[in-house]
Amino acid sequence: MFGISSIYILDQKGRVLITRQYRNELPANIHETFNKKLLEFDEYTQKPVMIDKDGYTYIFIRHNNLIFMTVCSQNANCLMIFSFLFRLVQVLQEYFVNVEEESIRDNFVVVYELLDEMLDNGYPQTTEFKILKEFIKTESFQLKEKKQPEQTNFNVVALVSNKISWRKEGIKYKKNEVFLDVIEKLNILIGQQGNVIKSEIIGQVQVKCMLSGMPELKLGLNDKAFFEAQGRQARARAVEFDDIKFHQCVRLSKFENERVIQFIPPDGDFELISYRLDIRVKPLFSVDVLIERKSTTKIEFLVKAKSNFKPKSTANNVEIFVPVPEDAEQPQFRTAHGSVNYMPEKEAMCWSIKQFGGQRDFMMNAVFHLPTIVSPNRDKFQKMPINITFEIPYFTVSGFQVRYLKIQDKSGYNALPWVRYITQNGEYQIRMN
Amino acid sequence: MAYFGNNQQRGELQELYIDLNDLNFEKKKEAIKKVIAYMTVGKDVSQLFQSVIKCLEFQDIEMKKLIYLYIVNYSRQKPDDAIMVIQNFRKDVRKSENPLVRALAIRTFGCLRVPKLNEYLIEPLKDCIQDDDPYVRKTAVLCVPKVFEVSPELCPAILEQLQKLLEKESNALVLANLIQSMREIEVLYGKQLIILNPKIIQKLLLAVDECIEWGQIFILDYLATHDPVDSKQAETIIERSLPRLSHINPTVTFCAVKLILKYLDYLDNGDLVKNLCKKISPSIISLLSWNQPEIQYTILRNISLILQKFPILFENEVKVFFCSFNEPYYIKYEKLEIMVRICDSKNFLQVLNELKIYINEADPHFVRKTIKSIGKIAIMYDKALQEAVTILIEFAKNVQQANEPVQELFIQMQILYRKNRYLYKSNDSLKILFNILEYANEPEAKSACAWIVGEFAEFIPKSVEKMQEYIDHFLLEDRLVQLQLLTSGVKLYIKYPSLCSALIQQLINSAKDSFNPDVRDRTYIYWRLLSTDPELVKNLVCYQVKGSQQFQKDIRLWETKDLIIALENMGSISNLFHKLPNQLYKNIKVRNNHQKEAKIYKVDDKLESPSKEQQIKNDQQNQPPQQNQDLDLLNFEEPASNNNQSNNKNKIDVYDLI
């Protein structure tokens, strides 16, 4: 396993914004070989990894018109490089908010410093923003703070190689609080008869931590495996995770052995848990579309949307995207609930309903005119799926619950944990054909 | 800051020179930033080398970083000037109280790669490896391979020092970097440097718990190359790595999977193996739910390898590989391939139903592959035949132009008809295909059409006319089509001797002048046979198979010994291209592998397997004489076909879990 030879940040035309070589063994204009190579492929055949005739491999991702590209001359670990590139973008985002041509150019000094610190000899090193920001600072940030004595640098260095590299000592808050956001995304694919083809729930626990000192946290969930490990009868609404992954602060071996989630949190925002449930979910929304072609120049849609969750919950900002023929025009919409927009660029109409109560159904009627000259892809829309986006607050599809969050610190302060639940759409698709 | 203004004036370098030599510190710093900005956009600022390195005197870290960056960039152009920096470097490494500066200096030093500088480097490097601060040590350790690559003759002492460090180092991050660095030197050096003993393994496992995520990857990936001494050791290491499956970084999870899969072979406890498989499977599948297609792609490419040795991991998981509408096509391709490979007697209908939807996709290559996959499934499972034909014929009804999928349609329909001749009766398939015959333009598709016309001549109203059309352009056709036309023409003649006598004459006349010796040979054979014993020709050419033929399912992509090497390189670039590392990179020596056989981990299906094997054996015996033009019906992926052939020779034994 080898490291990255060099990294390039290119603009959308393939010009170099910033480059850093880690192993000086590459031809100088290798990014031009890359640009040429890119042109060999079309949207169907383009892959994120390419190799040229000299054996150089180009591994790249795109972000906001930028290309983050690495060149490897050896058999490096490709997965590690992708993970690193995504992390790099993430770190840059925390620094500059918008990572685009402008911000990279304006902050080239910081980007150089980051590239120097995050990779050494082509191997990823410290990539934790909370640490990097301690010793690599943007100019605007630096102006505000007075020149710090050299002393802080020593602490920083200790941080990097420390066991708890994600939190520094001496953090202080007047009011100690922790906010947990449980966000579940439902990926579901529904067939034309309303049968569920596949469904999974991807969940996340986002934490905003505002605690002083070095607190030790213990989180209890309604985890079925936990109850079983304790030899207790599982509760009725216990969740069985197919897979659960943690932020690096969680003691993984403790979880593996006792199913206890214990950790010293980083300061501020971070993602504590991500989990996946591979269970059959009843569709939260079902949509029926009836298409009637009254004549060759007129097409009518009758759309019926129904919510299947409990009446006490309400979905917000529901948007239902129904595909229409690409050459449809002069839309006429009729509905008693929400509003409908035609979105030609998406070849769809969007029916938005601000609030959609549980166990309700709504109807919508749409008429489009079709030009007499038939576009070759007119029937393509029937192959495209209906997409739905929504948010249901105070509700988790899986029944995920936080049972408790214990916070302990040497100083013995009282801290308040807050928990919020929300369910959102992931890839929520209904097939039409 | 507008460093990148276009209005560059002549005196710019001069101005910078003045600023660099200014007594005001802030002015100097601004000037250095400008120099780096010019360097970034590719302007040559090497003339300022002297003035820039003078600024190293200052202790400002940010400025130092920029100057070092500058030096790295230009040192190869100006090795003589670079020597002047040495003093400053040594001062930074030895005298600076700030570990950041020491580390920065040693890191930059390593990047210079000027051979004559390295002798000055060795001593400071040795000091840094023994530095009190772990941050400096972790940097110094990674510096060694850089120096080793340029001047290996200077390094023996340092290598020893590294080995000693491995024994006594206690900081997790340093240890991880040390392992990585020693591995790299091992490849360059061609000798083993890391000697694992139980104590060191224990230390590494402990470091995994304490290290940053990337360090965990280095250690896990290294341990995955190790061969455990016994089942006990394998068990301990697996146990300690299991928690990593819950790590949020996909690479950490994946490296843990790699390690565990490798060690499974060494375990003697069957139940444990089974339990571990149950744990690993959801972890791999979760990696596919990353919303970054690039990561999904890498995982999918590796799954198609893992699948060959561990079918058990994906039992009942076929749904995971169903494509969703918005995915990039490179993901869809991989999923499709895997779907067909894990399709089994229980879920083939489900898979077919899914493929039915993909056949309407926009990308013609993808549709083509879908059609091919439908054909593959139908060939493996008798019960799938009818459904497959229905799907393909439904597709054929909507064909309006000669495109790629249509070509594949003909090829697959021919194969299906060969498997079971009586399919021609279902769904009016012959009639529908006959209407679109003109769209065949690839040799293979055309030859399939010619076969269909000859084989089913009596059920196609205008078969003779169609054949006449083909024969009129005989010499323009590809060799493959010519050969098939010959056989089909003879078939037609046997079926309608009086109607086709002129046709066969014309055919033989054109064919005997073909440029291709194969075609000429075959022409003469038919000619002689027809003139001596027409009855024999009938038996030979119009042979009809009763019932449907059986084919064996083969999901192997690699030969056993290659598979083992590939699995050791899981996650790497070579695996992404489904190549062996030594095929891509010349300097990599493949570890000699004496393992001829690989354990295959699959779900125990005792009820089914013996009868299945029996069946296959019977079929092999009953196999009808091959037809003249042999088609490899089970031709899986093109690049792998070579592997398949040699693979069939050394049979892989099936390992049952209990």
Side-chain angles (χ1 to χ4, degrees):
Chain A
M1 192 176 84
F2 283 81
I4 297 165
S5 294
S6 69
I7 188 163
Y8 284 85
I9 304 179
L10 305 169
D11 70 5
Q12 54 178 332
K13 287 184 181 141
R15 286 175 302 214
V16 181
L17 292 180
I18 270 189
T19 167
R20 178 82 164 86
Q21 299 226 349
Y22 295 96
R23 296 150 175 263
N24 301 22
E25 59 213 1
L26 303 175
N29 57 348
I30 192 132
H31 65 280
E32 277 165 25
T33 321
F34 168 76
N35 288 333
K36 268 186 219 145
K37 198 94 193 146
L38 262 190
L39 294 178
E40 288 174 20
F41 301 96
D42 60 19
E43 56 168 323
Y44 298 136
T45 50
Q46 179 70 70
K47 290 174 187 170
V49 181
M50 303 187 293
I51 191 161
D52 72 5
K53 58 183 191 329
D54 299 319
Y56 295 118
T57 313
Y58 308 90
I59 299 173
F60 64 99
I61 62 169
R62 289 169 198 271
H63 181 86
N64 282 354
N65 291 338
L66 293 177
I67 297 178
F68 290 78
M69 187 266 282
T70 61
V71 187
C72 299
S73 60
Q74 288 291 347
N75 203 12
N77 185 331
C78 193
L79 189 59
M80 180 179 82
I81 296 174
F82 277 130
S83 317
F84 173 77
L85 287 176
F86 284 114
R87 182 65 57 82
L88 174 65
V89 171
Q90 208 182 326
V91 168
L92 292 178
Q93 268 173 333
E94 303 213 43
Y95 268 96
F96 318 132
V97 185
N98 288 323
V99 178
E100 53 196 14
E101 208 181 314
E102 191 103 333
S103 56
I104 298 282
R105 279 190 198 280
D106 286 351
N107 295 290
F108 73 98
V109 174
V110 178
V111 180
Y112 269 131
E113 284 186 60
L114 285 173
L115 289 179
D116 198 44
E117 197 55 51
M118 291 171 73
L119 280 173
D120 189 0
N121 201 17
Y123 300 114
Q125 301 287 309
T126 311
T127 53
E128 192 70 28
F129 168 69
K130 299 198 170 73
I131 298 168
L132 291 167
K133 74 167 187 204
E134 294 296 321
F135 59 115
I136 298 174
K137 295 182 172 160
T138 54
E139 308 229 328
S140 51
F141 189 59
Q142 221 171 20
L143 283 178
K144 280 181 220 149
E145 293 191 13
K146 285 269 172 335
K147 272 210 166 156
Q148 290 170 336
E150 284 279 281
Q151 202 56 40
T152 50
N153 272 327
F154 294 122
N155 294 338
V156 167
V157 171
L159 258 184
V160 174
S161 47
N162 212 353
K163 266 191 210 173
I164 300 158
S165 63
W166 53 87
R167 189 181 180 95
K168 60 176 181 182
E169 304 246 2
I171 297 171
K172 269 221 162 68
Y173 284 98
K174 270 190 194 140
K175 196 175 177 190
N176 289 296
E177 287 177 308
V178 192
F179 300 88
L180 300 184
D181 274 317
V182 179
I183 304 159
E184 286 196 346
K185 290 192 172 157
L186 177 60
N187 288 336
I188 192 167
L189 182 61
I190 302 168
Q192 59 264 52
Q193 281 95 30
N195 53 319
V196 177
I197 296 172
K198 64 170 180 179
S199 63
E200 65 176 1
I201 299 165
I202 306 286
Q204 254 185 351
V205 179
Q206 286 284 352
V207 180
K208 188 185 184 73
C209 176
M210 297 159 77
L211 296 173
S212 317
M214 279 288 192
E216 181 92 37
L217 273 59
K218 213 178 194 181
L219 178 68
L221 308 175
N222 57 340
D223 172 14
K224 197 171 169 198
F226 171 76
F227 293 122
E228 278 164 12
Q230 299 269 307
R232 276 196 266 166
Q233 192 66 37
R235 290 200 201 167
R237 286 285 279 173
V239 177
E240 199 175 351
F241 298 103
D242 280 277
D243 192 44
I244 183 160
K245 296 206 181 336
F246 297 102
H247 186 271
Q248 57 165 323
C249 65
V250 177
R251 303 213 168 92
L252 293 181
S253 28
K254 183 133 187 152
F255 178 74
E256 182 67 31
N257 299 329
E258 306 165 35
R259 296 290 283 198
V260 171
I261 304 167
Q262 201 170 345
F263 56 99
I264 295 174
D267 191 37
D269 295 299
F270 66 100
E271 183 184 325
L272 178 67
I273 304 178
S274 83
Y275 58 90
R276 184 176 63 88
L277 277 92
D278 197 358
I279 49 171
R280 197 147 269 260
V281 183
K282 230 172 72 190
L284 295 177
F285 291 94
S286 48
V287 177
D288 282 325
V289 180
L290 220 88
I291 299 171
E292 210 174 316
R293 289 167 203 256
K294 296 221 155 135
S295 68
T296 49
T297 57
K298 205 171 173 190
I299 186 164
E300 191 176 335
F301 291 81
L302 186 66
V303 185
K304 195 174 127 190
K306 187 172 181 312
S307 62
N308 303 320
F309 44 87
K310 290 207 177 88
K312 64 176 184 192
S313 293
T314 303
N316 294 335
N317 303 324
V318 180
E319 291 192 319
I320 303 169
F321 295 86
V322 182
V324 300
E326 59 169 8
D327 52 358
E329 52 190 23
Q330 301 171 27
Q332 290 170 339
F333 302 116
R334 237 170 349 116
T335 178
H337 302 276
S339 60
V340 193
N341 283 312
Y342 180 34
M343 305 181 123
E345 74 283 359
K346 284 190 172 165
E347 295 169 27
M349 55 183 158
C350 169
W351 180 14
S352 13
I353 300 161
K354 279 267 165 290
Q355 295 213 309
F356 201 134
Q359 300 296 340
R360 298 286 302 272
D361 48 26
F362 297 140
M363 306 274 273
M364 188 266 282
N365 179 289
V367 181
F368 290 88
H369 278 268
L370 297 168
T372 36
I373 301 160
V374 180
S375 124
N377 291 327
R378 175 169 290 176
D379 287 333
K380 198 182 92 189
F381 76 98
Q382 280 172 313
K383 296 169 189 171
M384 294 173 14
I386 299 165
N387 277 288
I388 307 179
T389 63
F390 58 86
E391 273 182 9
I392 309 175
Y394 318 113
F395 171 74
T396 52
V397 214
S398 66
F400 182 101
Q401 265 183 347
V402 174
R403 285 168 44 237
Y404 58 82
L405 180 66
K406 289 179 188 154
I407 303 159
Q408 276 191 332
D409 188 64
K410 272 182 275 177
S411 62
Y413 56 74
N414 279 326
L416 285 172
W418 304 88
V419 188
R420 271 195 305 196
Y421 301 96
I422 192 164
T423 294
Q424 294 174 341
N425 61 294
E427 197 141 271
Y428 197 112
Q429 299 191 330
I430 305 173
R431 282 179 176 161
M432 283 224 292
N433 62 332
Chain B
M1 274 183 295
Y3 287 142
F4 294 90
N6 290 325
N7 50 344
Q8 192 196 2
Q9 283 146 18
R10 261 190 205 167
E12 244 170 11
L13 281 183
Q14 187 61 32
E15 262 173 43
L16 280 177
Y17 178 80
I18 294 169
D19 281 355
L20 282 173
N21 290 306
D22 200 289
L23 289 175
N24 182 335
F25 172 75
E26 288 302 325
K27 231 177 187 172
K28 268 188 205 270
K29 198 167 164 180
E30 276 306 297
I32 294 229
K33 278 188 187 168
K34 271 187 195 159
V35 169
I36 299 293
Y38 285 144
M39 193 181 88
T40 307
V41 291
K43 283 180 192 148
D44 184 17
V45 281
S46 60
Q47 297 160 36
L48 298 168
F49 203 91
Q50 300 278 355
S51 319
V52 172
I53 58 173
K54 265 188 211 152
C55 301
L56 266 181
E57 306 278 327
F58 295 91
Q59 286 304 315
D60 184 80
I61 275 241
E62 198 188 347
M63 188 153 96
K64 261 196 201 304
K65 280 185 187 166
L66 292 176
I67 299 172
Y68 281 151
L69 195 67
Y70 176 90
I71 295 172
V72 169
N73 217 8
Y74 289 109
S75 65
R76 267 188 304 172
Q77 290 175 24
K78 305 203 156 197
D80 294 327
D81 286 349
I83 286 192
M84 304 190 319
V85 194
I86 290 285
Q87 276 316 318
N88 290 24
F89 265 128
R90 288 166 75 113
K91 211 161 86 195
D92 277 352
V93 171
R94 295 198 150 150
K95 303 254 169 69
S96 173
E97 300 216 324
N98 186 341
L100 270 185
V101 175
R102 294 204 296 273
L104 182 65
I106 202 74
R107 184 159 62 211
T108 314
F109 228 150
C111 292
L112 292 183
R113 304 175 70 92
V114 180
K116 59 181 168 185
L117 295 186
N118 277 345
E119 50 187 295
Y120 302 102
L121 222 174
I122 293 296
E123 287 310 313
L125 181 57
K126 279 183 187 164
D127 291 351
C128 284
I129 293 175
Q130 288 169 335
D131 201 289
D132 289 337
D133 194 296
Y135 183 79
V136 180
R137 285 206 301 279
K138 76 123 188 157
T139 313
V141 159
L142 274 186
C143 185
V144 180
K146 303 186 215 174
V147 178
F148 186 88
E149 206 179 341
V150 183
S151 9
E153 71 286 352
L154 293 172
C155 292
I158 290 200
L159 295 188
E160 261 174 49
Q161 209 184 354
L162 289 186
Q163 282 172 321
K164 274 188 203 136
L165 191 64
L166 182 62
E167 302 272 340
K168 59 173 205 252
E169 179 62 57
S170 59
N171 183 289
L173 181 57
V174 181
L175 211 53
N177 277 356
L178 180 65
I179 286 288
Q180 194 54 37
S181 153
M182 286 170 91
R183 267 184 90 181
E184 197 181 322
I185 298 172
E186 276 183 352
V187 175
L188 298 169
Y189 193 37
K191 271 190 203 162
Q192 196 182 359
L193 276 181
I194 313 174
I195 295 142
L196 278 187
N197 56 36
K199 213 179 114 207
I200 293 184
I201 290 180
Q202 202 54 39
K203 239 167 77 168
L204 290 178
L205 287 173
L206 203 68
V208 170
D209 284 340
E210 295 176 352
C211 204
I212 58 163
E213 49 202 316
W214 311 103
Q216 298 181 12
I217 295 169
F218 304 151
I219 296 178
L220 290 173
D221 200 78
Y222 175 71
L223 284 176
T225 62
H226 168 67
D227 296 314
V229 284
D230 53 22
S231 170
K232 186 91 186 44
Q233 193 186 36
E235 205 180 315
T236 328
I237 298 181
I238 288 180
E239 213 167 85
R240 296 290 297 272
S241 320
L242 266 180
R244 298 300 120 192
L245 291 178
S246 308
H247 201 283
I248 200 116
N249 184 323
T251 321
V252 175
T253 313
F254 192 71
C255 281
V257 169
K258 175 176 172 181
L259 178 102
I260 297 169
L261 288 184
K262 151 112 189 201
Y263 284 22
L264 279 188
D265 275 357
Y266 296 85
L267 295 179
D268 357 289
N269 182 345
D271 281 341
L272 183 63
V273 172
K274 228 177 178 177
N275 278 335
L276 285 170
C277 286
K278 266 192 202 138
K279 279 203 162 151
I280 297 170
S281 171
S283 295
I284 303 183
I285 288 162
S286 291
L287 291 175
L288 290 175
S289 55
W290 274 83
N291 50 8
Q292 287 136 350
E294 290 85 355
I295 291 192
Q296 278 186 38
Y297 175 67
T298 323
I299 304 285
L300 283 169
R301 288 296 276 181
N302 281 292
I303 283 183
S304 68
L305 279 169
I306 301 173
L307 194 57
Q308 186 175 336
K309 192 165 151 63
F310 302 95
I312 188 176
L313 293 179
F314 306 99
E315 182 78 17
N316 300 328
E317 297 292 357
V318 71
K319 273 188 193 171
V320 175
F321 301 101
F322 285 2
C323 306
S324 90
F325 188 78
N326 305 328
E327 276 168 335
Y329 275 98
Y330 60 83
I331 300 274
K332 291 189 183 181
Y333 275 100
E334 296 307 318
K335 285 191 169 173
L336 182 59
E337 195 168 304
I338 294 174
M339 223 190 297
V340 176
R341 287 177 66 203
I342 59 177
C343 172
D344 60 27
S345 54
K346 278 172 260 155
N347 60 18
F348 65 84
L349 271 179
Q350 196 185 7
V351 175
L352 275 183
N353 271 330
E354 187 64 19
L355 294 183
K356 192 158 81 183
I357 287 161
Y358 304 159
I359 218 167
N360 293 321
E361 287 267 358
D363 177 13
H365 303 288
F366 183 69
V367 176
R368 177 168 199 164
K369 218 175 153 115
T370 307
I371 294 177
K372 195 169 179 179
S373 308
I374 293 175
K376 278 183 194 169
I377 294 174
I379 277 178
M380 290 189 293
Y381 305 104
D382 281 352
K383 287 183 190 143
L385 268 177
Q386 190 56 52
E387 180 65 17
V389 171
T390 313
I391 298 172
L392 292 181
I393 292 303
E394 207 50 44
F395 176 75
K397 277 182 192 163
N398 296 322
V399 169
Q400 275 155 1
Q401 53 186 349
N403 52 15
E404 268 203 63
V406 184
Q407 313 304 319
E408 194 62 41
L409 176 75
F410 288 122
I411 298 169
Q412 293 306 323
M413 281 310 292
Q414 179 202 18
I415 294 175
L416 294 187
Y417 283 145
R418 278 178 178 229
K419 178 164 160 125
N420 187 341
R421 194 167 187 278
Y422 299 100
L423 283 175
Y424 75 85
K425 288 181 184 160
S426 59
N427 308 51
D428 281 337
S429 61
L430 268 185
K431 193 175 145 205
I432 291 159
L433 284 183
F434 189 75
N435 287 336
I436 54 169
L437 277 190
E438 58 191 301
Y439 296 132
N441 52 20
E442 282 178 14
E444 222 183 312
K446 248 186 168 166
S447 111
C449 292
W451 182 86
I452 292 172
V453 173
E455 184 71 21
F456 300 109
E458 57 271 43
F459 310 107
I460 301 172
K462 287 185 175 168
S463 53
V464 180
E465 281 94 328
K466 189 72 201 169
M467 189 53 74
Q468 185 66 48
E469 253 174 62
Y470 279 129
I471 290 170
D472 287 343
H473 307 288
F474 185 84
L475 287 177
L476 299 176
E477 300 292 357
D478 185 89
R479 182 190 70 103
L480 204 63
V481 187
Q482 291 188 345
L483 286 173
Q484 186 55 59
L485 278 176
L486 262 175
T487 313
S488 291
V490 173
K491 274 185 202 165
L492 266 185
Y493 174 68
I494 288 168
K495 287 173 181 167
Y496 305 104
S498 51
L499 207 61
C500 297
S501 58
L503 182 136
I504 196 82
Q505 204 57 48
Q506 187 193 349
L507 176 64
I508 288 175
N509 270 336
S510 352
K512 73 178 169 41
D513 294 335
S514 169
F515 292 112
N516 190 296
D518 276 357
V519 178
R520 286 202 305 270
D521 282 354
R522 192 177 286 185
T523 317
Y524 282 109
I525 291 174
Y526 279 140
W527 195 356
R528 298 270 150 77
L529 279 171
L530 283 173
S531 49
T532 50
D533 189 354
E535 203 46 38
L536 180 68
V537 185
K538 193 175 175 183
N539 286 338
L540 203 76
V541 180
C542 296
Y543 182 86
Q544 285 186 6
V545 188
K546 302 277 179 304
S548 50
Q549 306 178 46
Q550 288 293 323
F551 298 94
Q552 196 178 355
K553 178 180 174 178
D554 189 348
I555 57 164
R556 277 167 291 175
L557 211 63
W558 297 70
E559 261 193 83
T560 312
K561 70 175 183 2
D562 295 345
L563 177 70
I564 292 163
I565 298 172
L567 285 174
E568 276 186 3
N569 286 291
M570 255 164 65
S572 67
I573 292 175
S574 58
N575 265 17
L576 205 73
F577 292 102
H578 282 181
K579 289 256 168 54
L580 294 177
N582 55 322
Q583 287 171 326
L584 278 186
Y585 303 98
K586 289 189 187 72
N587 61 342
I588 291 184
K589 289 182 204 89
V590 173
R591 220 167 23 134
N592 255 343
N593 209 325
H594 303 295
Q595 217 173 330
K596 284 252 165 54
E597 294 179 352
K599 283 184 191 171
I600 305 290
Y601 294 78
K602 61 180 216 174
V603 176
D604 195 12
D605 45 0
K606 269 186 185 146
L607 285 174
E608 235 181 282
S609 52
S611 60
K612 219 191 223 168
E613 266 166 38
Q614 196 88 46
Q615 216 175 17
I616 291 160
K617 238 181 244 164
N618 288 342
D619 290 325
Q620 275 164 350
Q621 285 159 3
N622 297 344
Q623 235 169 43
Q626 297 271 313
Q627 302 218 351
N628 320 26
Q629 67 293 3
D630 200 345
L631 245 173
D632 186 4
L633 292 183
L634 268 180
N635 188 3
F636 271 73
E637 274 317 278
E638 290 79 5
S641 60
N642 289 337
N643 285 341
N644 278 341
Q645 280 162 10
S646 44
N647 234 342
N648 291 337
K649 283 172 206 156
N650 53 359
K651 220 182 157 204
I652 295 180
D653 69 329
V654 175
Y655 176 74
D656 287 312
L657 283 171
I658 297 177

